[in-house]
């Protein structure tokens, strides 16, 4: 987004009895504290443009990442982004680490057919964003179906009831094959989990329609809210298939809450009261009702107007209390108390329907008249864009706030008392066209032929002037990939709305499809009921800055501390080297705290390093402790409203076309399908070195010694001496009789060690296996480094894990940090160069994460359509060098 500096806008106000606009010193100090608060408060946002809204096993998920901040220029943003694919068990299946340049990056996930169908999440964040918590990460639920490698399909319906104080769900599950034929009379075992706790298990048999009913009894509904059924179906060929069926909720109850505008109801001050009704699935539910006072007199009626939200006006009278009788869609009703009424206070009312201005009414109870001047502040992401003094001579004052100086997004409006205490607050939305890019596709035709070439020229401008920017484009066949315009996430919904709100927002793009009075009213209801404020003024006034445990990452680095006897080693020599993909070596010195850092390095995944340290007097008896950042905890899915119980059923049409496409790729040799073999018993000799990095193959050596062989050894030098014919050991070095006095090369966990590395540097109790290579046939693969023989030493490190380091002996560790993902390119055929007679059934027709406009705002791109006719949908998103953004959708027909 644009960098918006802290400014104090001249107030264009229409006040009853208003005097000249002057800000007093205590209030100026409060605004200065806000500036300091924002500098220490993580405000980065991440948005991912995905190539399509849902996927099939075998697909690629292509995405472009936009990292923005309302308070920093792109060069000051975090430069490393983490993107994760999370399954229904809240387990990270894949994580990518991506470099970010000028706020952009891109990557992809390959959906192998070893994954199961379900509701997955794509989560993206920077280390700096972790300080604000996962509520502000990019976290989107996507549906991934499976027909290509799937034998069993399920369709589930739920019925809800209550038994005593427990909630009961009767889940009717039907099992069918890909053609819809039921698995009749098939044994099923199942396990029920609620909130990741096992609450029951059972067995049964499907009926002739492949149906079984599983009853879930939630005896602790205050603790357990959702869960899943793990059902195992036994097939006729003696194999079994496990299916996970989500339980989104165990109740059909509706939660209804009331939200007075500004935060409070005050006697004698008419106030708007917004309300929101949400069902147990997290979706809005329509309600209606009446408001009555404590005498039983009906005051008003109310009815929801959008996704369970609505509002009414109430003028509280002294001595009265009020209740709402609510009628729900299922015919039931409930009576609820309205929020408590204050005897004294202030209230605000904001009319935000006008596109050019906000009209704010400030009201005060009679006992607060002539009690000093109030202050009204409107700020966006901590930058103040409007301030005004409001006199208390009369009960009502009106402030007109022009929107033209505000950036697009959420504005936080706060009313302060005379002693600078916040007394009323609410959110409003500004949609300013001046910070939107105008993206014009100048020569897109209304129709094209199958495999026809699409040549596009585009022009990007802002307020009539050309702009340079980076854009992403996805083209899909809407006849196969059916869009859901209201429910989709895009660069507008994410960066301008949902990233500044806590909680699930249903149908976020509804608020951007049209700019009419109804849509603006719906958006205003959302902000009145979402119930969260980004800036806590009480903390600002008290200088309670957030504690930031995670720093913004600017580059990859390997760092740590050297100690000796618990004390830091000053000016110790630290060496870093690797031979993964070529030899690399560098060194540095530790500082006065024993700390060292290698921060001018770049590497990809699967690179292993050796860190070696010595004192300034070359004493290697030191301890190295690397700096490790803990992994981000995976929270439960916050997007409950987006969870689909019957994923494969919902994506049936798309999965059929995807299956045809994947089968064609297999025929072309471009895709491999995992083959599940029936269980067989194989008897073979156990590999003595299963975790070895032996280039000949683990265990292929002239001699192999295992952990059991080393049980009685007190050092590797002692053990190997005289153990292998033709090998001698002197001063911690092993020599082969064929090597003419040159020591054998030591390879530790796949890393070739330096010439001065000794066998005695390794604790023998940490060794899992030792492989001795001395014959030419086994050493040849190591080239010149293996000419004197090779000792391959594998340590007891268990399963290989990223970002784990192993300490073998004083002064040396090996480390395999997570590096950058090697970005792949989207494959798009060129039919004008090489015609292909085989069917082209791609579901994503074209994807380009980074096409740019030049200084004149112009650019071009081209691609070819597929063999599938239909309505093709082109989605363009992007950002320019000043932070302005764009989202545009175009369509054309392929006949």
């Amino acid at each position: 987004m644009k960098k918006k500096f802290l400014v104090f806008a001249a107030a264009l106000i229409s006040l009853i009895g208003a005097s000249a606009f002057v800000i007093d010193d205590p209030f100026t100090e409060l605004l200065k504290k806000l500036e300091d608060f924002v500098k220490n408060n993580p405000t980065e946002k991440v948005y991912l443009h995905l190539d399509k809204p849902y996927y099939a096993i075998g697909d690629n998920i292509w995405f472009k990442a936009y990292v923005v901040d309302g308070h920093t220029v792109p060069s000051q943003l975090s430069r490393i982004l983490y993107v994760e694919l999370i399954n229904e068990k809240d387990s990270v299946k894949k994580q990518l680490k991506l470099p970010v340049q000028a706020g952009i990056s891109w990557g992809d996930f390959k959906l192998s057919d070893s994954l199961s169908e379900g509701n997955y999440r794509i989560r993206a964040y920077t280390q700096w964003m972790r300080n604000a918590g996962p509520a502000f990460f990019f976290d989107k639920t996507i549906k991934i179906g499976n027909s290509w490698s799937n034998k069993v399909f399920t369709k589930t319906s739920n019925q809800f009831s209550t038994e005593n104080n427990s909630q009961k769900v009767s889940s009717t599950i039907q099992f069918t094959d890909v053609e819809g034929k039921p698995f009749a009379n098939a044994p099923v075992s199942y396990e029920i989990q609620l909130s990741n706790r096992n609450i029951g298990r059972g067995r049964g048999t499907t009926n002739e329609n492949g149906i079984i009913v599983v009853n879930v009894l939630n005896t602790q509904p205050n603790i357990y809210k959702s869960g899943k059924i793990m059902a195992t179906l036994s097939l006729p060929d003696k194999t079994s298939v496990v299916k996970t069926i989500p339980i989104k909720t165990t109740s059909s109850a509706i939660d209804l809450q009331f939200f007075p505008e500004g935060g409070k109801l005050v006697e004698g001050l008419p106030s708007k009261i917004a309300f929101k009704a949400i069902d147990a699935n997290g979706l809005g539910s329509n309600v209606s009702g009446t408001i009555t006072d404590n005498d039983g007199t009906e005051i008003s009626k109310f009815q929801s107007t959008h996704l369970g939200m609505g509002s009414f006006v109430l003028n509280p009278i002294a001595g009265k209390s009020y209740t709402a009788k609510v009628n729900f869609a299922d015919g039931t009703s409930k009576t609820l108390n309205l929020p408590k009424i204050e005897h004294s206070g202030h209230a605000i009312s904001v009319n935000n329907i006008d596109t050019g201005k906000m009209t704010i009414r400030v009201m005060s109870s009679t006992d607060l008249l002539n009690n000093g001047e109030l202050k009204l502040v409107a700020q966006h992401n901590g930058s103040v864009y409007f301030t005004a003094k409001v006199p208390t001579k009369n009960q009502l004052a009106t402030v007109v706030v022009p929107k033209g100086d505000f950036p697009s997004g959420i504005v936080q409006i706060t009313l302060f008392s005379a002693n600078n205490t916040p007394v009323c607050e609410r959110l409003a939305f500004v949609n300013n066209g001046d910070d939107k890019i105008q993206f014009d596709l100048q020569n897109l035709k209304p129709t094209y032929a199958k495999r026809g070439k699409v040549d596009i020229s585009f022009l990007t401008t802002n307020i009539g002037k050309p702009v340079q920017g980076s854009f992403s484009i996805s083209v899909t066949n809407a006849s196969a990939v059916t869009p859901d315009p209201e429910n989709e996430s895009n660069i507008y919904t994410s960066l301008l709305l949902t990233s500044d709100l806590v909680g699930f927002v249903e149908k976020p793009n509804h608020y951007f499809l049209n700019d009419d009075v109804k849509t603006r009213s719906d958006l205003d209801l959302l902000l009145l009921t979402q119930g969260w404020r980004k800036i806590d003024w009480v903390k600002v006034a008290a200088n309670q800055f957030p504690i930031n445990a995670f720093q913004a990452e600017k580059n990859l680095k390997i760092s740590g501390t050297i100690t000796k006897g618990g004390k830091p080693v000053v000016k110790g020599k630290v060496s870093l080297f690797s031979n993964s993909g070529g030899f690399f070596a560098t060194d540095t010195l530790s500082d006065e705290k024993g700390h060292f850092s290698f921060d001018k390095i770049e590497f990809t995944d699967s690179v292993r390093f050796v860190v070696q340290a010595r004192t300034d007097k070359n004493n290697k008896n030191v301890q190295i402790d690397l700096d490790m950042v803990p992994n981000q905890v995976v929270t439960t899915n916050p997007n409950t409203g987006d969870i689909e119980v019957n994923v494969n059923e919902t994506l049936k049409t798309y999965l059929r076309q995807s299956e045809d496409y994947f089968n064609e790729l297999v025929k072309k040799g471009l895709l491999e399908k995992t083959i599940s073999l029936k269980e067989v018993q194989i008897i073979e000799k156990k590999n003595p070195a299963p975790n070895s990095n032996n280039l000949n193959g683990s265990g292929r050596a002239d001699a192999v010694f295992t952990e059991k062989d080393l049980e009685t050894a007190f050092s590797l030098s002692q053990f190997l001496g005289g153990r292998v014919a033709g090998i001698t050991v002197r001063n911690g070095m092993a020599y082969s009789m064929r090597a003419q006095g040159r020591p054998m090369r030591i390879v530790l966990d796949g890393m070739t060690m330096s010439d001065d590395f000794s066998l005695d540097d390794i604790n023998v109790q940490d060794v899992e296996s030792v492989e001795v290579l001395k014959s030419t046939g086994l050493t040849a693969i190591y080239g010149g480094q293996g000419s004197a023989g090779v000792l391959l030493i594998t340590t007891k490190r268990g399963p290989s894990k990223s970002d784990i380091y192993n300490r073998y002996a004083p002064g040396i560790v090996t480390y395999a940090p997570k590096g950058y993902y090697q970005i792949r390119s989207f494959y798009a055929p060129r039919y004008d160069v090489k015609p292909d007679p085989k069917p082209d059934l791609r579901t994503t027709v074209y994807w380009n994460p980074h096409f740019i406009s030049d200084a004149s705002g112009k650019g071009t791109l081209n691609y070819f359509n597929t063999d599938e006719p239909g309505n093709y949908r082109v989605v363009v998103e992007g950002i320019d060098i000043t932070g302005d953004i764009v989202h545009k959708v175009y369509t054309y027909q392929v006949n």
Side-chain angles (χ1 to χ4, degrees):
M1 305 295 292
K2 283 184 179 178
K3 183 180 180 183
K4 300 293 186 181
F5 296 95
L6 190 66
V7 294
F8 306 114
L12 301 176
I13 58 177
S14 172
L15 292 177
I16 298 175
S19 58
F21 172 65
V22 178
I23 291 292
D24 55 357
D25 288 338
F27 193 61
T28 303
E29 180 62 28
L30 178 64
L31 296 182
K32 181 63 173 66
K33 288 181 178 180
L34 172 64
E35 184 178 5
D36 295 336
F37 182 86
V38 170
K39 288 178 180 178
N40 290 276
N41 193 48
T43 55
E44 283 183 347
K45 305 175 187 180
V46 173
Y47 164 67
L48 264 58
H49 177 192
L50 306 181
D51 64 308
K52 53 194 172 193
Y54 46 78
Y55 299 87
I57 298 300
D59 267 337
N60 293 283
I61 300 176
W62 303 95
F63 63 84
K64 180 175 184 177
Y66 296 87
V67 183
V68 301
D69 193 312
H71 302 283
T72 61
V73 296
S75 61
Q76 295 171 335
L77 290 169
S78 295
R79 295 180 184 173
I80 296 178
L81 178 69
Y82 299 83
V83 184
E84 297 168 338
L85 182 67
I86 302 172
N87 67 7
E88 289 182 324
K89 298 179 182 178
D90 297 323
S91 173
V92 176
K93 300 303 294 181
K94 295 184 179 182
Q95 185 193 65
L96 307 182
K97 194 172 185 176
L98 300 172
V100 178
Q101 293 184 348
I104 60 173
S105 187
W106 55 89
D108 69 280
F109 289 108
K110 173 65 179 176
L111 302 179
S112 66
D113 63 349
S114 60
L115 296 174
S116 59
E117 74 274 9
N119 297 275
Y120 286 74
R121 295 154 59 193
I122 294 184
R123 186 174 74 167
Y125 56 91
T126 65
Q127 290 293 337
W128 181 238
M129 290 173 65
R130 292 180 66 180
N131 295 299
F136 299 99
F137 295 174
F138 177 87
D139 197 324
K140 180 175 176 59
T141 297
I142 59 171
K143 294 181 281 289
I144 299 178
N146 186 3
S147 64
W148 187 46
S149 61
N150 189 19
K151 295 180 180 179
V152 178
F153 291 75
T154 60
K155 184 177 181 179
T156 304
S157 61
N158 295 317
Q159 288 188 334
F160 303 95
S161 60
T162 57
E163 288 187 3
N164 299 322
N165 294 322
S166 300
Q167 297 173 347
K168 183 178 179 180
V169 184
S170 293
S171 293
T172 301
I173 308 170
Q174 183 182 35
F175 298 89
T176 63
D177 62 15
V178 68
E179 302 297 332
K181 181 180 178 182
F183 287 100
N185 304 313
V188 177
S189 62
Y190 57 85
E191 184 176 288
I192 303 168
Q193 294 183 358
L194 292 178
S195 298
N196 295 318
R197 293 181 175 90
N198 294 330
I199 67 160
R201 62 182 68 234
R203 294 179 180 275
T205 303
T206 61
N207 63 16
E208 65 275 10
N209 296 316
I211 291 174
I212 187 172
V213 177
V214 177
N215 292 313
V216 179
L217 191 65
N218 184 359
T219 59
Q220 296 179 283
N222 292 330
I223 299 175
Y224 304 145
K225 302 297 182 182
S226 60
K228 51 182 168 284
I229 299 171
M230 310 285 288
T232 303
L233 178 74
S234 297
L235 300 178
D237 61 0
K238 306 303 180 182
T239 62
S240 59
V241 175
V242 179
K243 309 299 288 187
T244 300
I245 296 101
I247 304 173
K248 296 179 65 173
T249 178
T250 61
S251 169
S252 59
I254 305 294
D255 177 61
L256 177 64
Q257 296 186 49
F258 297 93
F259 303 89
E261 184 175 14
K264 296 179 181 179
L265 289 175
V266 181
E267 289 179 357
L269 303 182
S271 296
K272 179 188 290 185
I273 300 177
F275 61 86
K276 189 170 190 175
I278 301 176
D279 65 20
N281 292 317
L283 300 175
S285 179
N286 289 328
V287 295
S288 61
T290 57
I291 304 297
T292 58
D293 63 16
N294 52 333
D295 295 326
T297 303
E298 182 178 305
I299 306 300
S300 65
K301 298 180 183 293
F302 64 89
Q303 185 168 1
S304 58
T305 57
H306 175 65
L307 300 178
M309 297 179 288
S311 67
F312 56 90
V313 176
L314 179 69
N315 188 359
I317 298 175
K320 296 283 188 179
S321 59
Y322 301 89
T323 58
K325 182 181 179 182
V326 186
N327 302 314
F328 300 106
D330 62 0
T332 61
S333 63
K334 181 187 290 188
T335 299
L336 300 170
N337 293 324
L338 291 190
K340 179 183 176 182
I341 299 172
E342 304 286 340
H343 297 292
S344 173
H346 302 278
I348 59 173
S349 173
V350 178
N351 185 334
N352 193 33
I353 302 304
D354 193 298
T355 58
K357 64 181 183 297
M358 285 184 281
T359 302
I360 304 175
R361 298 198 310 160
V362 179
M363 295 166 281
S364 305
S365 57
T366 55
D367 62 308
L368 296 178
L369 294 179
N370 300 309
N371 191 24
E373 291 180 309
L374 308 175
K375 292 93 175 177
L376 190 69
V377 175
Q379 54 87 13
H380 169 81
N381 278 339
S383 293
V384 176
Y385 289 89
F386 183 90
T387 57
K389 290 178 69 174
V390 181
T392 56
K393 181 180 179 181
N394 300 310
Q395 272 195 283
L396 174 65
T398 302
V399 181
V400 178
V401 183
K403 296 182 181 179
D405 293 331
F406 286 85
S408 293
I410 293 176
V411 175
Q412 186 173 329
I413 302 167
T414 309
L415 181 69
F416 291 86
S417 66
N419 62 0
N420 300 326
T421 301
V423 292
C424 292
E425 199 162 66
R426 72 105 93 190
L427 302 181
F429 191 85
V430 171
N431 195 1
N432 194 334
D434 288 349
D435 53 20
K436 307 292 195 311
I437 301 170
Q438 285 72 54
F439 190 98
D440 181 23
L441 283 185
Q442 298 181 320
N443 56 342
L444 186 68
K445 300 176 184 178
T447 59
Y448 289 87
K450 297 177 183 179
R451 298 198 181 192
K453 186 178 183 181
V454 180
D455 286 298
I456 294 177
S457 298
F458 60 89
L459 176 66
T460 56
T461 59
N462 179 258
I463 319 179
K465 297 180 180 180
V467 296
Q468 274 191 292
S470 171
F471 304 92
S472 49
I473 180 172
S474 67
V475 183
T476 55
N477 185 345
S479 302
V481 184
T482 306
D484 185 0
E486 284 202 337
N487 199 43
E488 72 178 11
S489 297
N490 58 51
I491 198 167
Y492 288 165
T493 67
S494 184
L495 297 186
L496 302 183
L497 184 65
T498 58
S499 59
D500 285 328
L501 296 174
V502 171
F504 173 70
V505 176
E506 184 179 358
K507 299 186 183 300
N509 200 38
H510 166 79
Y511 308 106
F512 294 89
L513 289 175
N514 299 294
D515 188 19
D516 53 24
V517 172
K518 174 65 167 64
T519 303
R520 291 195 293 272
S521 298
D522 293 343
L523 179 51
D524 205 46
L525 283 174
L526 174 71
L527 298 184
L528 282 168
T529 58
Q530 199 66 22
W532 180 81
R533 308 293 178 264
K534 192 162 191 177
I535 299 297
D536 187 334
W537 285 103
V538 175
K539 291 183 178 180
V540 170
N543 286 324
Q544 294 181 8
F545 297 156
I547 299 174
N548 295 322
F550 303 95
Q551 299 304 308
E553 289 182 298
K554 302 301 182 182
N555 45 256
L556 297 176
K557 71 175 181 179
I558 296 174
S559 61
T561 304
I562 315 170
T563 57
K564 181 175 174 61
K567 297 180 180 180
V569 174
V570 181
K571 294 184 178 180
K573 182 180 179 182
V574 187
S575 300
L576 176 74
F577 56 94
S578 171
N579 60 2
S580 300
F583 185 73
F584 164 83
T586 186
D587 55 47
T588 189
L589 297 177
S590 59
D591 61 19
E592 65 276 3
K593 296 181 180 180
H595 193 263
F596 65 91
S597 179
F598 298 98
D599 58 3
K600 295 181 179 179
I601 54 176
E602 288 194 359
F603 50 89
T604 58
D605 275 345
S606 304
V607 174
R608 183 175 291 274
F609 293 92
V610 171
V611 182
Q612 186 172 287
R614 300 286 189 270
T615 68
D616 57 348
K617 296 182 180 179
N618 208 35
N619 187 331
K620 62 185 178 182
N621 190 28
V622 298
Q623 178 169 315
I624 304 173
D625 293 297
L626 297 184
D627 296 332
M628 304 295 292
V629 178
N631 291 329
Q632 174 62 42
V633 174
V634 180
T635 55
T636 56
N637 191 339
N639 311 309
T640 53
D642 284 338
I643 295 175
E644 174 59 55
V645 175
N646 299 301
V647 170
N648 278 341
E649 184 71 18
T650 303
L651 304 183
K652 184 180 294 184
T653 302
Y654 174 72
L655 292 177
R656 286 199 186 104
Q657 181 163 338
S658 295
E659 184 175 14
D660 293 339
Y661 172 54
F662 297 145
N663 288 334
E664 284 299 323
L665 291 182
V666 171
K667 293 177 183 178
K668 295 178 182 179
L670 300 176
L671 189 65
E672 293 183 356
K673 191 171 184 178
T674 302
I675 301 174
S676 298
L677 300 177
K678 293 183 179 180
E679 183 178 355
V680 294
Q681 291 188 345
I682 300 175
I683 300 175
E684 66 170 340
K685 185 177 180 181
K686 183 178 179 181
N687 188 339
N691 295 316
S692 163
N693 289 289
N694 191 337
L695 298 181
N696 299 288
S698 60
R700 293 193 60 192
D702 294 299
V704 180
F705 303 101
T706 66
E707 176 185 352
K708 185 173 181 61
D709 297 324
L710 298 168
E711 283 179 346
T712 58
F714 63 83
S715 73
L716 284 179
S717 295
Q718 169 266 332
F719 178 83
L720 290 174
R723 185 80 56 171
V724 181
I727 302 294
T728 59
V729 179
R730 301 190 303 271
N731 299 322
M733 301 291 184
Y735 296 86
S736 170
M737 292 179 61
R738 301 178 179 180
Q740 300 178 349
R742 291 180 293 119
M744 299 179 72
R745 178 66 63 184
I746 297 175
V747 177
L748 181 64
D749 285 340
M751 295 296 303
T752 303
M753 309 309 292
S754 58
D755 292 338
D756 63 346
F757 186 79
S758 166
L759 290 171
D760 295 329
D761 288 335
I762 305 172
N763 184 349
V764 70
Q765 303 304 318
D766 291 335
V767 177
E768 180 184 89
S769 65
V770 178
E771 296 164 274
V772 181
L773 311 183
K774 61 176 185 176
S775 60
T776 304
L778 293 173
T779 61
I781 197 170
Y782 288 88
Q785 291 191 341
S787 59
V790 181
L791 289 178
L792 293 160
I793 301 172
T794 303
T795 61
K796 303 172 186 175
R797 63 186 185 278
S800 177
K801 293 183 180 179
S802 177
D803 285 350
I804 298 298
Y805 68 94
N806 300 295
R807 182 183 294 113
Y808 309 108
I812 186 167
V813 298
T814 66
Y815 182 33
K818 189 168 190 64
Y820 288 141
Y821 173 69
Q822 291 183 297
I823 296 173
R824 300 186 303 153
S825 296
F826 177 84
Y827 169 73
R830 306 289 306 183
Y831 292 126
D832 56 347
V833 176
K834 185 179 180 181
D836 187 346
K838 295 181 180 178
D840 183 352
L841 305 175
R842 288 171 291 141
T843 53
T844 297
V845 180
Y846 181 67
W847 166 254
N848 188 335
H850 183 53
F851 66 97
I852 59 175
S853 55
D854 60 22
S856 62
K858 296 180 180 180
T860 61
L861 57 89
N862 58 73
Y863 60 89
F864 288 84
N865 296 318
T866 71
D867 288 329
E868 292 293 314
N871 185 40
Y872 280 39
R873 189 169 188 255
V874 181
V875 178
V876 176
E877 298 192 322
I879 190 168
D880 67 16
I881 57 176
T882 62
D884 297 328
I885 57 178
V886 65
H887 168 80
K888 291 293 289 288
V889 177
Y890 303 89
T891 59
Y892 62 87
Q893 191 72 27
V894 172
N895 298 320

